[in-house]
Amino acid sequence: MRRKGSPFTGLGPVFMKELADHLSSVRMMVLTLFVLAFGAFPVASSLQTLRTVVDPNSFLFLRIFTLEPEQVGISFIAALNFIIPLMAIGLGFDSVNSEFNRRTLSRVLSQPIYRDALLLGKFLAGLATFAVALVALWLIVVGAGLLLLGVPPRGVEVARGLGFLIVAIAYGGVWLAISMFFSVVFRSTATSALCALGLWLFFFLLWPQLASAIVSGVAPSEIRSLEEYAAVQDIAMGLMRLSPGTLFSEAVLGLLSPETRTLGPMLPAQMRGAIMGAPLPFDQSLLLIWPQITGLIAGMIVVFAAAYVVFQREEVRA
């Protein structure tokens, strides 16, 4: 029997209900306070350092995000690379299996709401909630920069900052889709949370060492030419880019550090005609990081599609 009407019937009510639940929940308040507190220390220390900078062409507002202060030892971007997956996992690890455990899923699906709309509505609500928290954090950082630095950001700095915000939301969307996938696969919320956190720890801690070991195993014992060196570096970068965190870090580096001309090893041929220290135009920086942005968005879509396929095949009983 074929269903009638749009598969997204009921998407709006599901989205608004889940968004209201997220924004009014104690979990959301705790996660937001965690993000704000964790990001405040590197930002405050960076601003204290940047107040002594007098160069008007040094992209002060962009350096708020990338400067690694001595007092904290971690930049704001590195802190976000750590806390964005935790917040996304916290929003999605029980989004579906909690409905199974409370036996409310059959009641929801008995209404004129298809499974497509239910799963997509939950995902979009989680992504919107995450975006609200991230935009608030971004505005706080920009506002603190205006107050303490005393100079407004230039148009190109605002454009690059907005691009960074979009990349961060896409990065969070990848981990939200991963957490929802485990929420669909496992009925236990504890199991889905542990699997999502375990995958995050694998990419955050173990994958760099594992990728290095793989490169050491396949690389020749003695590199005799520049081409062999470039080939080994391509393999290493390709393995590292399987991690969403690496894609996020490279995309942010290209956006917030205008002097960045390549995300891999710099070869002599790439330096011909280049002016050392000259910033790239915004459109050239976008071209540089476009593969990383595409990889994040594609990863989010692929993982969500996998969760969708599994969810469509599950049996729902009253």
Side-chain angles (χ1 to χ4, degrees):
M1 180 178 179
R2 299 186 62 181
R3 61 187 177 189
K4 299 180 180 178
S6 171
F8 302 112
T9 301
L11 177 62
V14 172
F15 172 79
M16 296 304 299
K17 187 263 182 187
E18 292 293 327
L19 182 62
D21 288 346
H22 282 312
L23 293 178
S24 60
S25 65
V26 177
R27 182 196 308 176
M28 179 61 189
M29 296 178 60
V30 172
L31 289 173
T32 303
L33 290 175
F34 174 72
V35 171
L36 293 177
F38 203 89
F41 291 104
V43 168
S45 185
S46 297
L47 288 172
Q48 292 297 326
T49 303
L50 291 174
R51 292 181 70 178
T52 62
V53 177
V54 295
D55 184 5
N57 299 318
S58 58
F59 295 98
L60 287 181
F61 273 84
L62 298 184
R63 292 181 63 186
I64 296 175
F65 300 96
T66 57
L67 185 65
E68 185 172 320
E70 296 179 358
Q71 295 87 342
V72 180
I74 184 174
S75 66
F76 180 68
I77 296 303
L80 283 186
N81 199 357
F82 178 81
I83 60 180
I84 282 177
L86 294 180
M87 187 174 183
I89 291 172
L91 289 173
F93 76 94
D94 63 343
S95 57
V96 177
N97 50 21
S98 62
E99 300 278 1
F100 277 107
N101 296 331
R102 294 197 305 263
R103 298 186 181 277
T104 57
L105 188 60
S106 59
R107 298 180 184 179
V108 174
L109 294 179
S110 66
Q111 307 300 317
I113 297 176
Y114 290 121
R115 294 191 183 197
D116 314 64
L118 179 65
L119 192 64
L120 183 59
K122 286 179 175 291
F123 177 76
L124 292 179
L127 193 62
T129 304
F130 175 78
V132 167
L134 204 59
V135 169
L137 179 61
W138 184 80
L139 291 175
I140 290 174
V141 173
V142 173
L146 283 171
L147 290 175
L148 296 180
L149 297 180
V151 292
R154 291 175 289 175
V156 64
E157 291 180 300
V158 174
R160 288 179 180 271
L162 292 175
F164 152 72
L165 196 59
I166 294 174
V167 171
I169 293 173
Y171 178 48
V174 174
W175 287 105
L176 179 63
I178 290 173
S179 63
M180 287 190 65
F181 172 78
F182 287 121
S183 180
V184 171
V185 172
F186 300 107
R187 295 295 177 89
S188 171
T189 56
T191 303
S192 62
L194 287 175
C195 288
L197 289 173
L199 187 62
W200 167 68
L201 288 175
F202 171 78
F203 279 120
F204 191 77
L205 297 176
L206 298 180
W207 181 245
Q209 302 177 21
L210 185 59
S212 178
I214 294 175
V215 172
S216 299
V218 300
S221 58
E222 182 179 353
I223 298 178
R224 304 175 182 228
S225 64
L226 188 61
E227 288 76 14
E228 290 183 355
Y229 172 78
V232 172
Q233 292 300 315
D234 287 342
I235 295 174
M237 294 303 299
L239 289 175
M240 288 298 299
R241 285 168 181 164
L242 294 177
S243 169
T246 301
L247 296 178
F248 171 72
S249 299
E250 291 184 347
V252 168
L253 177 65
L255 274 175
L256 300 184
S257 296
E259 299 84 6
T260 302
R261 294 182 173 273
T262 180
L263 299 174
M266 181 71 74
L267 299 178
Q270 296 173 307
M271 296 302 299
R272 293 176 183 171
I275 302 175
M276 296 300 296
L280 283 179
F282 180 53
D283 57 344
Q284 294 298 315
S285 294
L286 283 181
L287 289 176
L288 178 66
I289 65 168
W290 191 251
Q292 282 73 18
I293 298 176
T294 305
L296 287 173
I297 296 176
M300 176 176 60
I301 294 174
V302 168
V303 177
F304 179 78
Y308 171 83
V309 171
V310 176
F311 184 60
Q312 290 291 85
R313 295 176 177 271
E314 285 190 337
E315 181 180 3
V316 178
R317 296 182 180 180

